[in-house]
Amino acid sequence: MAHALGRERLRPGATMSKVDVVPIGELPPVGVVPKRMIAQVVRQDRFGDPAEAFQIEEVPVPELAADEVLIAVMAAGVNYNNVWAARGIPIDVIAMRKRAGKPWDFHIGGSDASGIVYAVGADVRTVSVGDAVVVHPGWWEATDPWVAGGKDPMLSGSAKIWGYDAPSNFGSFGQFAVAQEHQVLPKAPRLTWEAAAAPTLVGTTAYRMLHGWPPHTVERGDVVLVWGGSGGVGSQAIQLAALAGAHPIAVVSDARRGEYCQKLGAVGYIDRTEFHHWGIPPHWDDASGQKEWLAGARAFGSRIWEILGERRNPTIVVEHPGEATLPTSVFVCDRGGMVVICAATTGYSGVVDLRYQWVMQKRLQGSHGSNDEQARAFNDLVLSGSIDPCLGEVVRFEQLPTAHQAMTAGQDVFGNRVVLVGAAQEGLGATS
Ligand code: NAP
């Protein structure tokens, strides 16, 4: 199979470079596509800790399908999904692509990008070579009958996350990424490349969690509990809840993280290290164990009331730790409220005491990625300056493996880490 972009597949303006590969931190002239590129690559024989699983390799620049866009990546956001990809659990994304008949025996992850369009497929109409863009990670087959029928594409069987389990395999951890046209959104001109690469995956996810599940959409005056408030999903969820006029309360593991959340709009924070009832609760027929667990959960709930100055419970709980926290989330959620969950970082056995679930008529809602409408609505808030992208640590390209490793260890959780790719490795702060 020929991997290099064929001239005949490109719109006028994009040409093949005589240069084989350009160094990291540099770009060929706009529209000139090298034959090969440098990428942080995962292979099956090194699945495990991200620090070892990712390695720099030279690979061919991929071909474009008619609905695809080739983007020279300036900066790439670090997300937890590529910790999972590096470990090969819960799914082996390389084996999955092979089963789908794809030719690659490696994975190039990266679900957040800022960059410049270098080439477009034959059917692309809304994006042009030279555009400064970001990418939202919702990926699906346009020919999927569910999608073609106009239904929410993130509920279709073909829905995947770009740069993680999408069949296309060329995410933002290489010099050139391939996205579907509908994923490509305008970059906020005032933001640096690294700031623009920070918020889209987590922000669009948080947007769907808070606005995508009627009638439980966030409203003025709602109390919203946000786990991991200083992290990627959390920092965006706090801002979105505050923008809607709600009262976000963050859960964090130290005061510095709590203060960060307050600057983003949280009305207060709870330090989870003051409580010890985490994980799977004792079985319901273990009376003393249940009593102890309940005391912990009630004390946690009381902290919410203390922060609010009144006895009100969260209408929406933004969940992602999973096993460690889900029982508490369901317990403190208001009667008729919703726990909306997008991950289970601490484990998948999230136990729900069904007594609280049915008697109080609470909703437990899964949420994954976002559709185009939600992604555009979130990006519009970034474009207008209503949302801070929460740029966290910025690292050089070769530090991508250790940046993922730090994420697994829960270190320096302030917004979103970003890796520089095409942007000059020492040149933080450039906007174009
Ligand atoms: P992150 O930036 O690393 O933040 C994770 C937060 O979780 C940390 O701030 C940490 O806060 C908190 N945390 C860690 N251990 C905890 C525990 N035992 N109990 C309670 N809180 C704990 O990660 P992220 O980007 O926000 O992503 C969070 C999860 O959501 C990941 O699993 C990711 O894969 C997933 N996700 C899913 C989607 C989707 O579409 N389905 C999209 C985005 C992210 P403290 O230590 O301060 O409490």
Side-chain angles (χ1 to χ4, degrees), residues 116-333:
I116 300 167
V117 174
Y118 264 56
V120 294
D123 294 345
V124 171
R125 296 286 175 270
T126 59
V127 178
S128 304
V129 170
D131 287 354
V133 297
V134 295
V135 180
H136 90 73
W139 189 102
W140 47 78
E141 299 280 5
T143 53
D144 181 321
W146 180 274
V147 177
K151 296 181 177 164
D152 182 351
M154 272 315 289
L155 295 178
S156 76
S158 67
K160 301 283 180 201
I161 299 297
W162 178 75
Y164 175 53
D165 59 353
S168 53
N169 192 30
F170 288 90
S172 59
F173 295 164
Q175 288 175 304
F176 289 89
V178 177
Q180 295 172 325
E181 179 181 12
H182 70 89
Q183 295 177 255
V184 180
L185 302 169
K187 169 193 171 282
R190 71 172 197 295
L191 292 181
T192 60
W193 292 113
E194 52 272 25
T200 313
L201 178 134
V202 285
T204 54
T205 300
Y207 191 95
R208 182 176 176 88
M209 292 173 89
L210 289 168
H211 291 283
W213 303 107
H216 293 88
T217 49
V218 66
E219 284 175 13
R220 178 163 295 282
D222 281 351
V223 178
V224 179
L225 186 72
V226 180
W227 291 97
S230 72
V233 173
S235 57
Q236 297 302 318
I238 288 170
Q239 294 185 78
L240 288 167
L243 267 178
H247 306 300
I249 295 177
V251 188
V252 290
S253 56
D254 65 41
R256 265 183 74 217
R257 294 180 190 196
E259 284 151 21
Y260 178 82
C261 295
Q262 285 180 307
K263 284 188 194 136
L264 294 174
V267 296
Y269 66 88
I270 302 175
D271 185 341
R272 67 180 169 88
T273 64
E274 292 168 13
F275 302 87
H276 305 286
H277 62 290
W278 307 121
I280 299 172
H283 196 260
W284 63 269
D285 63 4
D286 170 357
S288 66
Q290 276 276 313
K291 194 174 168 203
E292 198 181 329
W293 186 86
L294 206 55
R298 282 202 173 121
F300 183 86
S302 298
R303 282 287 295 123
I304 298 174
W305 297 344
E306 272 171 41
I307 288 167
L308 294 170
E310 56 179 328
R311 288 187 165 221
R312 288 181 61 212
N313 298 318
T315 324
I316 300 179
V317 180
V318 174
E319 242 295 342
H320 50 84
E323 187 171 303
T325 55
L326 186 70
T328 304
S329 292
V330 173
F331 179 76
V332 301
C333 180

